[in-house]
Amino acid sequence: MNKIIFLFFIQFFSSIYAQKSDTLVLKNNDVIIGEIKSMNKGILQIETDYSKDDFKLEWKHVKNISSTRTHIITLSSGALLNGTISKSKTPNKCEIKDIETQNRTEVSLTDIVYIKPVNDSFWDRLDASFDVGIKLTKAENLQQLTINANLGYTAKRWFATGTYKQIQSVQDNSDPIRRIDTDLSYVHLLAKDYFIPLSITTLSNTEQDIALRIISKAGYGKYILHDNKKYWGVASGLSFNHERYTGVSDANKSLELFLGTDFNLYDLGDFSIQSKVTVFPSLTENKRVRTDFNLDTKYDLPLDFFIKLSFVYNYDNKPKNDAPKDDYVFQTTFGWKLD
């Protein structure tokens, strides 16, 4: 019995040690041993036994990496690899051993844009953020509240995101202003940096008399640029627009083509910039074109807090009668992210 207990403890502590067997060698020859949590957008996150919080360091400072655990690895060429990582004899390179074919591939560290352990937990794959902005002025008794919430989940070959944005403003001698945006998106990753985007978005906007607009999209896209400093993706497909205007009983339905681009720049120290533009030329309404534009600039603070500046612009060349053709929102918010 004692022998069984002894063997159990040996196996238990060996499994803990094995989980912490990932090794990084930095360009200044510092060595970090722990458990790699992820590498994305040029930032590597590793958990160690000798620190309370996970280490976060820039990927460009890593000289060697090795891990006996299985990882999903994405290269700048769009190739998706699934295997273990070991040091290469060539400086600033590593070998990836495919778990299915057992083939070894030597790649440059600068060509790796994404690393994620296969056996990580649900919480490791989850990321979330929440930010809020409040504006109060004595003049006209202005009270304005901005709320943004984001939730994301990353799997082996796909990722999903959900967002909720609300702006509410009340002041004397003026009608209340309210705008609510939601977005539920799914992206399936394919070889060579191609992807399939699916999404459902909604908009409720008193400025443009939109009681509720629901847009369902499906398309096909590709990342034109994808490295540790930036990515740029383009996509096209079909969307179905179901909208109801304030004071109008009948809903308006239309089939649209969508053309979209998404550019994200994150090698700016603590700054990151993301912009999205989507154009919707209608296929069923004569000469109707809508455009959505988003620009987010974020500055990271200690303890996972951040400050964000956002600009949103919507344009519709054929809105409801007497409604404005466009609407824009500029906001500054303070938030926290689960990373």
Side-chain angles (χ1 to χ4, degrees), residues 19-20 22 35-40 45-47 54 67-73 82-83 114-127 152-159 339:
Q19 289 179 352
K20 302 293 185 181
D22 302 342
E35 181 181 345
I36 296 173
K37 310 299 289 185
S38 67
M39 196 285 287
N40 191 25
Q45 184 172 335
I46 183 170
E47 178 185 350
D54 295 346
S67 174
T68 57
R69 298 185 300 145
T70 302
H71 300 266
I72 294 293
I73 301 141
N82 188 358
Y114 181 80
I115 298 175
K116 193 73 174 178
V118 172
N119 58 346
D120 53 4
S121 68
F122 170 82
W123 294 107
D124 290 329
R125 299 182 181 213
L126 194 69
D127 59 85
Y153 184 85
T154 302
K156 297 179 182 179
R157 304 280 176 164
W158 59 270
F159 62 89
D339 202 356

Side-chain angles (χ1 to χ4, degrees), residues 1 25 38 85 91 96-97 103 110 123 215 224-225 237 255 296 325 328-329:
M1 183 67 180
V25 180
S38 67
I85 307 172
I96 300 173
K97 182 180 179 182
N103 292 333
T110 57
W123 294 107
I215 301 173
I224 305 299
L225 299 174
L255 182 65
D296 290 324
K325 289 186 177 182
Y328 67 88
V329 176

Side-chain angles (χ1 to χ4, degrees), residues 77-304:
S77 63
L80 294 174
L81 303 176
N82 188 358
T84 59
I85 307 172
S86 60
K87 293 193 298 183
S88 171
K89 295 180 180 179
T90 307
N92 299 314
K93 289 190 176 184
C94 68
E95 282 190 349
I96 300 173
K97 182 180 179 182
D98 190 280
I99 61 171
E100 297 178 358
T101 65
Q102 300 298 307
N103 292 333
R104 293 180 178 271
T105 304
E106 186 178 68
V107 300
S108 173
L109 294 183
T110 57
D111 290 335
I112 299 177
V113 298
Y114 181 80
I115 298 175
K116 193 73 174 178
V118 172
N119 58 346
D120 53 4
S121 68
F122 170 82
W123 294 107
D124 290 329
R125 299 182 181 213
L126 194 69
D127 59 85
S129 65
F130 178 83
D131 53 281
V132 62
I134 299 175
K135 184 177 181 180
L136 302 172
T137 65
K138 183 178 180 180
E140 301 293 337
N141 193 27
L142 173 63
Q143 303 174 44
Q144 181 173 297
L145 175 65
T146 301
I147 297 174
N148 298 315
N150 297 272
L151 185 65
Y153 184 85
T154 302
K156 297 179 182 179
R157 304 280 176 164
W158 59 270
F159 62 89
T161 58
T163 63
Y164 176 87
K165 301 179 180 180
Q166 178 175 337
I167 299 175
Q168 192 153 341
S169 179
V170 179
Q171 68 181 90
D172 295 342
N173 304 317
S174 180
D175 294 331
I177 297 174
R178 187 182 186 190
R179 177 189 174 114
I180 299 177
D181 296 81
T182 68
D183 186 335
L184 184 61
S185 299
Y186 170 90
V187 176
H188 189 84
L189 302 174
L190 304 174
K192 297 183 179 180
D193 264 352
Y194 287 94
F195 60 90
I196 298 175
L198 306 172
S199 68
I200 297 177
T201 62
T202 69
L203 172 64
S204 177
N205 187 3
T206 56
E207 176 66 17
Q208 294 178 292
D209 289 337
I210 300 173
L212 181 63
R213 173 183 288 160
I214 304 175
I215 301 173
S216 305
K217 295 191 302 182
Y220 192 71
K222 178 176 175 57
Y223 290 107
I224 305 299
L225 299 174
H226 195 178
D227 55 37
N228 291 310
K229 297 182 180 180
K230 59 191 175 298
Y231 75 74
W232 175 34
V234 295
S236 179
L238 294 176
S239 67
F240 181 73
N241 182 8
H242 183 284
E243 56 192 355
R244 188 181 299 275
Y245 291 101
T246 304
V248 178
S249 58
D250 296 331
N252 181 60
K253 302 176 183 179
S254 63
L255 182 65
E256 303 170 320
L257 177 71
F258 81 85
L259 304 168
T261 179
D262 182 2
F263 180 75
N264 196 332
L265 184 64
Y266 35 80
D267 188 30
L268 300 173
D270 292 324
F271 279 99
S272 62
I273 300 175
Q274 183 176 20
S275 64
K276 296 181 180 181
V277 182
T278 308
V279 180
F280 299 89
S282 179
L283 299 176
T284 56
E285 294 182 277
N286 187 31
K287 296 182 179 180
R288 185 185 182 187
V289 179
R290 299 187 304 103
T291 302
D292 293 338
F293 173 74
N294 293 269
L295 177 65
D296 290 324
T297 301
K298 188 172 69 171
Y299 181 74
D300 292 327
L301 300 171
L303 303 177
D304 291 329

